[in-house]
Amino acid sequence: MSEILAETAPKKRMLSGIKPSGDMTLGSYLGAVKNWAERADQFDCYYFMADLHAITVRQNPADLRRRTLEQLAQYIACGLDPEKNTLFIQSHVHQHAELGWILNCYSMFGELSRMTQFKDKSAKNEDNINGGLFTYPSLMAADILLYQPDLVPVGEDQKQHVELCHTIARRFNGVYGDVFKIPEPFVPKMGARVMSLTNPLAKMSKSENEDTGRVLLMDPPEVIMKQFKRAITDSDTENCVRFDKENKPGVANLMTIYAAVTGKSYADIEMEFSGMGYGAFKPAVGEAVVETLRPIREEATRLMKDKGYLENVYKTGAEKASYVAEKTLRKVYKKLGFVAK
């Protein structure tokens, strides 16, 4: 009997999204999308292009449209099969914005003001510290809670937002009963946080000003190799490939990347490059990344030429996502006392 129940039990749900505010990076792939693709058979997965979040910073409309579709193509090229994963554009599911407003009313000013990303982004965008930048975590909570997921794959820098999501959900449930499921953050052990190649103390960012610090999924091989040859290692005279995140962050970052694309352990990498130094190590990492990204770049390029297929994917995804989201939103509206349509 237990075996029969195990076979018929519904899959746990997983959800996440990435802003199309810049071109997707190696960090986005290794820290997020690669891990998503590996879980399609295990979970009921929903992944979206977070275009509503992107506009907290001024975007060129044509670039935002292009990047949104390119990101969808890259999602698929990275292994997110639309037959196994629900892929959609955030703004196509109106329930995100509606629940986002409601959860604004259950998010405390002090909680939002303590968000690290708000402080960081305010410092970088002093001429545009808008309300959306401040209430970004409330919309993120809506993104999550709409789908009642069990797990939310996030980078280390987003865990604070998921924790606030828990706080908001518990506050709402405390008033209205068991409305929202409390999801758990899922942080992959390998490649969860890829750092800048020129500043290994900062995360590799798609909006980074200096392009030498990042590798984009669509970069050609010669550009990728150039980036890795320029990568910061350390000033240690031993010139030794050894994983020491505190004292050798640059080398540790390169080892993290190499381990993520090859599947090798840090011990294996240290042994492989024993006595060889950084001059051999950096190009080897670059070559491994080139070969990892080559099929992704080629497939994404092919998909971008098939606009009809991409349109079918995001429309089908939005339809399925809207169905799930609407069930949650109707429940919330009823609890709040809104008059039914």
Side-chain angles (χ1 to χ4, degrees):
M1 179 65 72
S2 60
E3 291 180 1
I4 296 174
L5 290 174
E7 289 177 3
T8 58
K11 292 180 180 179
K12 289 187 175 182
R13 187 169 290 161
M14 180 178 281
L15 171 134
S16 196
I18 297 175
K19 290 184 298 182
S21 55
D23 298 313
M24 282 182 65
T25 68
L26 176 66
S28 300
Y29 172 63
L30 295 181
V33 184
K34 180 176 183 288
N35 297 289
W36 300 352
E38 294 169 353
R39 286 163 177 82
D41 293 326
Q42 185 180 0
F43 296 98
D44 179 21
C45 300
Y46 290 71
Y47 301 119
F48 59 95
M49 282 57 69
D51 54 345
L52 292 176
H53 285 291
I55 64 170
T56 58
V57 176
R58 295 288 179 264
Q59 302 289 332
N60 177 289
D63 287 343
L64 181 60
R65 274 189 289 272
R66 172 184 60 81
R67 284 172 171 158
T68 301
L69 291 176
E70 284 181 350
Q71 187 168 306
L72 174 59
Q74 289 166 26
Y75 273 5
I76 299 169
C78 287
L80 294 183
D81 184 348
E83 297 298 321
K84 296 182 177 181
N85 303 274
T86 302
L87 309 178
F88 63 99
I89 298 170
Q90 183 188 25
S91 62
H92 289 185
V93 182
H94 62 83
Q95 292 88 349
H96 285 254
E98 292 181 45
L99 185 59
W101 166 251
I102 290 169
L103 296 187
N104 274 340
C105 301
Y106 291 82
S107 306
M108 299 300 104
F109 183 90
E111 294 168 343
L112 295 173
S113 64
R114 287 192 292 272
M115 292 293 102
T116 302
Q117 281 210 341
F118 172 68
K119 295 175 183 176
D120 292 344
K121 291 185 178 183
S122 295
K124 294 176 183 177
N125 299 278
E126 293 183 357
D127 60 337
N128 184 28
I129 305 176
N130 56 69
L133 198 63
F134 187 68
T135 60
Y136 178 108
S138 300
L139 178 57
M140 184 174 172
D143 299 334
I144 296 169
L145 298 175
L146 270 175
Y147 299 93
Q148 310 283 11
D150 300 277
L151 293 170
V152 182
V154 292
E156 287 286 352
D157 59 325
Q158 291 286 353
K159 286 184 72 175
Q160 188 184 32
H161 285 167
V162 176
E163 289 165 1
L164 179 60
C165 172
H166 289 175
T167 299
I168 296 169
R170 290 191 181 101
R171 180 176 293 130
F172 196 94
N173 287 351
V175 177
Y176 300 105
D178 188 17
V179 178
F180 297 123
K181 180 180 289 187
I182 309 298
E184 293 299 322
F186 175 80
V187 181
K189 294 179 181 179
M190 184 61 71
R193 192 164 170 80
V194 175
M195 313 306 281
S196 166
L197 297 181
T198 54
N199 179 13
L201 299 180
K203 181 182 175 183
M204 183 180 286
S205 171
K206 59 181 177 285
S207 57
E208 190 171 328
N209 292 326
E210 292 187 28
D211 62 0
T212 52
R214 60 184 180 168
V215 172
L216 304 178
L217 291 193
M218 302 303 286
D219 278 342
E222 61 273 17
V223 171
I224 295 173
M225 292 303 298
K226 186 177 181 181
Q227 306 296 61
F228 278 98
K229 287 176 181 178
R230 290 177 175 178
I232 296 294
T233 49
D234 57 45
S235 57
D236 197 327
T237 56
E238 66 176 335
N239 196 25
C240 173
V241 177
R242 174 169 54 82
F243 192 83
D244 184 344
K245 198 169 183 179
E246 183 175 344
N247 298 306
K248 298 163 76 77
V251 177
N253 185 42
L254 291 173
M255 290 181 71
T256 297
I257 293 170
Y258 193 62
V261 298
T262 64
K264 296 178 180 179
S265 68
Y266 295 140
D268 289 338
I269 297 169
E270 290 175 4
M271 186 177 297
E272 180 181 351
F273 294 96
S274 177
M276 297 176 66
Y278 305 146
F281 179 51
K282 291 199 290 184
V285 180
E287 288 168 5
V289 170
V290 164
E291 293 311 312
T292 296
L293 298 186
R294 188 189 303 277
I296 294 173
R297 184 181 68 254
E298 292 174 354
E299 178 63 3
T301 300
R302 185 191 71 79
L303 288 169
M304 279 302 295
K305 296 176 183 177
D306 193 345
K307 304 295 186 186
Y309 171 73
L310 292 179
E311 181 177 351
N312 180 64
V313 169
Y314 67 68
K315 284 187 174 180
T316 301
E319 184 177 352
K320 182 179 178 182
S322 294
Y323 175 78
V324 176
E326 183 62 22
K327 287 199 295 184
T328 299
L329 191 65
R330 281 203 307 267
K331 187 175 183 180
V332 169
Y333 276 17
K334 184 177 181 179
K335 293 288 187 179
L336 289 171
F338 291 168
V339 175
K341 294 180 181 179

